Amino acid sequence: MIIAYAPGGGTDLVARLIAPYIEKYLGNNARIVVSNKAGAGGGIGFAELAKAAPDGYTIGFLNTPNLISIPIERQSTFHWKDYDLIGNLIDDPGAFTVNTSSEFKTLKDLVVYAKANPGKVTVGSTGVGSDDHLAMLFFEKAAGVKLTHVPYKGSGETRAAVVSGQLVVGAINVGEALAYIKGGSPMRMIGQMSLKRTVLAPDTPTFAEQGYNMESASLRGLAAPKGLPPEIRDRLVKAVAQAAADPEYIKKAGELFAPIRYLAPPAYAKELADTEKMLQQLWKDMPWKE
């Protein structure tokens, strides 16, 4: 099971959590070995998965928007259609977080200040072209403001900058933000980018509720190289669907603050196609290379 990011991150944790349940439903003493292939914003792992033999012995996680944004911004050796989709597992909405001492209690507070002080609101993300960075661009467009992007290597660095006061806003996914907050970090979410409030953060209003018509999230799902024999593909799809519905897995995912959202392959493909259209338009309007 290829993970395109480093050990200890959100995708890696979910992969190691669900692997035993997939093994359980595959049966026949199936064993899954997690292999981290980090680098190039996920591009190294995505490329390795795409070029692997389509024999059912190699599967891996796909992460949006990176899976889709990389081929848009530069030449790459993979595209989301180069995989046999097995099923999506996680849908982690974006969020804006601030220090608990911040004067900003709502997105409107932030917008009023940003309009009066163009460029003075710094927003930290996990890198150029990441879901966090693209969410910032969507918000700039929706709210008509100019923000200053500050890229970091990971959400942990963004969290530290928010806590220390170096950043005004941290663009951090809901699941990660909640883990930091529950862990004692003096942070609060002022808006989540889901279509409706996630059950993990029922008290945090969405961006749409606050008047900013936008949605942004990071899907994390499983796929295999294109061309699996139908019987092997069907077996993997069934095992992942059963694992995703396992009550014990669901309980443990909640303990990790992982926002679960299973999508069968057809629905998963539609979601990826819709995201691709949205990012292609964003690239035309606001190219995100820096």
Side-chain angles (χ1 to χ4, degrees), residues 49-119:
L49 178 62
K51 71 181 182 183
D55 56 11
Y57 287 101
T58 303
I59 60 175
F61 268 81
L62 302 180
N63 298 64
T64 63
N66 304 55
L67 172 75
I68 295 170
S69 64
I70 290 172
I72 291 175
E73 70 185 39
R74 61 182 184 265
Q75 192 164 5
S76 69
T77 58
F78 59 86
H79 184 273
W80 70 267
K81 292 181 180 178
D82 295 331
Y83 307 93
D84 275 340
L85 302 178
I86 298 173
N88 186 66
L89 295 170
I90 301 294
D91 185 355
D92 198 356
F96 273 4
T97 58
V98 297
N99 193 295
T100 51
S101 64
S102 171
E103 63 188 282
F104 305 128
K105 303 292 194 296
T106 66
L107 294 175
K108 184 177 180 181
D109 293 341
L110 183 68
V111 169
V112 169
Y113 180 84
K115 286 185 174 179
N117 302 273

Side-chain angles (χ1 to χ4, degrees), residues 92-95 131-132 134-135 138 173 193-194 214-218 278:
D92 198 356
D131 57 326
D132 310 316
L134 299 185
F138 281 128
N173 291 91
M193 301 174 194
S194 48
M214 60 167 285
E215 181 186 358
S216 179
S218 176
M278 180 175 63

Side-chain angles (χ1 to χ4, degrees), residues 123-281:
V123 180
S125 83
T126 50
V128 175
S130 66
D131 57 326
D132 310 316
H133 180 210
L134 299 185
M136 187 202 88
L137 295 180
F138 281 128
F139 183 67
E140 282 186 326
K141 188 175 180 181
V145 295
K146 180 59 182 172
L147 309 172
T148 296
H149 179 229
V150 183
Y152 292 91
K153 293 178 181 178
S155 60
E157 290 185 7
T158 304
R159 177 206 65 82
V162 171
V163 169
S164 68
Q166 292 175 291
L167 272 180
V168 177
V169 175
I172 303 173
N173 291 91
V174 168
E176 292 172 318
L178 286 174
Y180 295 142
I181 292 168
K182 297 290 185 183
S185 294
M187 301 161 61
R188 68 168 176 270
M189 289 190 291
I190 60 173
Q192 57 181 309
M193 301 174 194
S194 48
L195 191 60
K196 58 183 180 180
R197 299 187 191 193
T198 172
V199 294
L200 295 179
D203 298 326
T204 301
T206 66
F207 276 51
E209 284 179 277
Q210 298 183 67
Y212 305 100
N213 189 25
M214 60 167 285
E215 181 186 358
S216 179
S218 176
L219 291 179
R220 299 169 200 159
L222 282 167
K226 194 76 172 178
L228 286 180
E231 65 278 8
I232 291 177
R233 179 181 177 278
D234 291 347
R235 186 179 169 202
L236 284 168
V237 169
K238 183 179 179 181
V240 168
Q242 290 173 310
D246 190 290
E248 187 177 72
Y249 160 73
I250 292 171
K251 179 176 181 293
K252 290 182 177 179
E255 293 169 356
L256 285 179
F257 302 102
I260 57 176
R261 182 191 177 203
Y262 172 75
L263 293 173
Y268 190 14
K270 182 181 184 306
E271 196 88 16
L272 294 176
D274 290 346
T275 300
E276 184 174 43
K277 288 179 184 177
M278 180 175 63
L279 293 184
Q280 286 172 336
Q281 186 60 51

